[in-house]
Amino acid sequence: MAVVVPFESRSPATIDRLNDLVAADMERVNTTILSRTGSQVAMIPEVANHLISSGGKRLRPILTLAMARLTGYSGGGHVKLAAAVEFMHTATLLHDDVVDESEMRRGKLAARMLWGNEASVLVGDFLLGQAFKMMVEVASLKALEILSSAAAVIAEGEVMQLGAAKNTATTEDDYLAVIRAKTAELFAAACEVGPALAARPKDEQSACRSFGMNLGIAFQLVDDALDYGGTAAKLTLPVVLAFRRGGESERAFWRRTLEEGEATDADLEHAISLMTRHRALEDTVKRARHYGAIATDALALFPASPMKEALEETVEFCICRSN
Amino acid sequence: MAVVVPFESRSPATIDRLNDLVAADMERVNTTILSRTGSQVAMIPEVANHLISSGGKRLRPILTLAMARLTGYSGGGHVKLAAAVEFMHTATLLHDDVVDESEMRRGKLAARMLWGNEASVLVGDFLLGQAFKMMVEVASLKALEILSSAAAVIAEGEVMQLGAAKNTATTEDDYLAVIRAKTAELFAAACEVGPALAARPKDEQSACRSFGMNLGIAFQLVDDALDYGGTAAKLTLPVVLAFRRGGESERAFWRRTLEEGEATDADLEHAISLMTRHRALEDTVKRARHYGAIATDALALFPASPMKEALEETVEFCICRSN
């Protein structure tokens, strides 16, 4: 299903330039990922690689590499930290699928459908353990602090979402608090560890963190707009907007579908008509654009460079992307 | 249900002396645990404290405190590490309940029965994140290395167990590999971080680790013997022994009940009669006694002290305990 959202950009932004700039490092990250999913317990690499090799954009580890380069880091620790960030993300996806009882993930059957909830929970735990092992090997207490705090905040955000998912009383601010924690915090941490490793001044670390945080919020909001077919049954910003802008009978509809947690085809059609009437999808992308602008400005203190331009284009890509 | 196992000790061993010796430190651990389960997300302390305050023995954090004292550590880092060890253990229990679809834990309804699988998975993740945060605060890379490795090994052991749980081809050696990883590794790590913090020589660190590893194996084997009512439906050492010592029709029985994953009352009665006939429970406790002896000898290089005696009595307690 496709949704027509009015984009203001001229030619479609991509992350090709960013990918090119970190390609050599990313090769090392991929090798690390492959070797660290290894285990004499055969099910572990099977489950882990089912998801890891399913064609995700690897945006988070790419950001770790990019920020390390942008801030002039010359060591090798960013490779393990980037792999650790991707493992944290993968562990979260495995656990999310169990929590949401998802059947699909990235166009493939979710791991839990093939190996069961047990394997998804435990392989997620294994990847988290491996992530921490890699961080410890890098031996930067500052990076450890950033990523271990992120792990706790992300889980906190996921629990917060449990409470918000069926609750139409959730305000836009409440919802933002959820996505800051569950999604944007890892983007922020992924961006902050590079300058932390490079021992750059606090203002550069904060700038990179702010870039990641705001990009992460924008990324999640666009996800919500793209996944509008799924939003009829769970609370996302388009639903928050449509609910608040709607009349009493519309609100009753949203309460019912969120309560039931799944939508029939007719419900979905009605949900889309309400979101269209109230411009909920367009305005969600507009909100994303606002956070994207903050992300771009966070980088303003860095001098012009191909990496800075590629990161600016990445913001545009995250807002204009169609998948 | 109680099982009569012939114990060789004179008077019942307890962990009272060990508890007394670490009481002041343990008070600080309990305060830390309470404050670190705090969150503005109300469900987190609710779920965490349901399990944490359900009357576990807190053996693992007690061992961390005891080993730090035994090896002359005089700083304060052992308190946070002990709390981190208990959080890692609690996270494992929350995830185990989801994996095993358990209804009860420590005589209370399992958290997942009250708050759902979602909350058990995510609050477990939160506690793991908090555990790592506390470890990072202590800022000992050696302790971080020990505990992050343990986290990965534990998860690996749990996945190994998924494969072994219904498989009667599992040998005693295979089974030992599972419980070393899923249970004994955390005991070993809990014991090793104290001397690591105290920067004691390698032989003392290894001795403490060996004590914990072997005590952990003994502890789990006794658990298996005590939980013989549950063993009819899952593979534990008593089942491994009874299966191997039995005839073909007995083996067919074990294959069927393990395959089904749950036992009727009649199955349970039959399982107990087979375990009794083959002395499977007594011999499981005998095996535990063997590992207990190794644990005790691991401490031999330390001079006599009240702490050393209390730790020796703890070995006896773990073997003779009835719950």
Side-chain angles (χ1 to χ4, degrees), chain A residues 26-318:
Chain A
M26 198 58 201
E27 192 121 348
R28 294 169 63 201
V29 172
N30 289 334
T31 307
T32 305
I33 285 175
L34 206 66
S35 78
R36 295 305 180 104
T37 52
S39 165
Q40 79 272 35
V41 184
M43 196 194 268
I44 290 177
E46 280 174 32
V47 175
N49 291 323
H50 172 76
L51 182 52
I52 289 174
S53 62
S54 66
K57 287 177 281 293
R58 303 213 173 165
L59 192 52
R60 295 158 190 81
I62 288 171
L63 288 171
T64 298
L65 299 175
M67 289 305 188
R69 289 284 173 231
L70 183 76
T71 55
Y73 177 64
S74 58
H78 61 320
V79 170
K80 278 185 184 167
L81 292 186
V85 162
E86 184 67 3
F87 275 15
M88 286 175 68
H89 176 53
T90 308
T92 306
L93 296 184
L94 284 168
H95 287 185
D96 273 0
D97 285 344
V98 173
V99 166
D100 297 342
E101 301 181 348
S102 309
E103 296 180 4
M104 303 295 286
R105 166 71 69 185
R106 291 179 183 159
K108 293 170 75 169
L109 276 175
R112 70 177 204 95
M113 301 299 287
L114 294 167
W115 291 277
N117 278 342
E118 311 92 300
S120 289
V121 171
L122 297 175
V123 174
D125 290 350
F126 173 79
L127 292 177
L128 265 184
Q130 291 291 73
F132 279 104
K133 269 182 78 166
M134 286 191 279
M135 290 172 214
V136 172
E137 286 166 18
V138 175
S140 157
L141 281 171
K142 180 68 191 163
L144 275 161
E145 190 189 314
I146 293 165
L147 289 168
S148 62
S149 292
V153 170
I154 293 164
E156 217 167 8
E158 301 268 0
V159 178
M160 231 190 286
Q161 190 176 34
L162 284 186
K166 295 177 187 299
N167 183 2
T168 52
T170 302
T171 63
E172 180 165 345
D173 286 325
D174 295 335
Y175 183 71
L176 268 169
V178 170
I179 68 173
R180 265 178 200 279
K182 75 157 192 157
T183 305
E185 178 71 23
L186 187 56
F187 277 81
C191 289
E192 193 181 2
V193 288
L197 269 187
R200 299 300 303 161
K202 189 79 191 77
D203 64 337
E204 285 194 21
Q205 291 187 37
S206 302
C208 291
R209 178 173 175 81
S210 173
F211 175 83
M213 178 64 79
N214 287 286
L215 179 64
I217 296 171
F219 184 89
Q220 181 62 57
L221 291 178
V222 172
D223 242 25
D224 288 353
L226 290 170
D227 183 37
Y228 71 99
T231 58
K234 68 174 193 273
L235 197 94
T236 59
L237 188 58
V239 175
V240 170
L241 295 178
F243 175 82
R244 283 170 186 270
R245 294 172 181 181
E248 210 26 72
S249 74
E250 296 180 16
R251 290 189 190 158
F253 164 79
W254 289 114
R255 278 193 202 96
R256 179 179 64 75
T257 53
L258 290 173
E259 186 63 40
E260 288 170 4
E262 56 186 63
T264 63
D265 283 352
D267 286 342
L268 179 55
E269 209 171 303
H270 189 52
I272 293 171
S273 78
L274 295 182
M275 288 190 280
T276 306
R277 178 181 316 160
H278 297 295
R279 307 182 56 85
L281 297 171
E282 293 93 314
D283 285 353
T284 294
V285 176
K286 265 195 195 156
R287 300 289 211 263
R289 190 164 283 288
H290 162 84
Y291 294 101
I294 300 177
T296 302
D297 275 317
L299 291 186
L301 63 78
F302 293 99
S305 72
M307 185 62 88
K308 183 178 169 180
E309 278 173 43
L311 286 163
E312 288 166 348
E313 191 176 352
T314 299
V315 175
E316 200 56 28
F317 165 77
C318 285

Side-chain angles (χ1 to χ4, degrees), chain B residues 176-241:
Chain B
L176 269 168
V178 170
I179 67 174
R180 267 180 198 280
K182 76 158 192 154
T183 305
E185 178 71 23
L186 187 57
F187 278 80
C191 289
E192 194 181 1
V193 289
L197 269 187
R200 299 300 303 162
K202 189 80 190 75
D203 64 337
E204 285 194 22
Q205 289 187 37
S206 303
C208 292
R209 177 173 176 81
S210 172
F211 175 84
M213 178 63 79
N214 286 286
L215 179 65
I217 297 171
F219 184 89
Q220 180 61 57
L221 292 178
V222 172
D223 242 25
D224 288 353
L226 291 169
D227 182 38
Y228 70 100
T231 59
K234 69 174 192 268
L235 197 93
T236 59
L237 188 59
V239 175
V240 171
L241 295 177

Side-chain angles (χ1 to χ4, degrees), chain B residues 72-83:
Chain B
Y73 177 64
S74 58
H78 61 320
V79 169
K80 278 185 183 166
L81 292 187

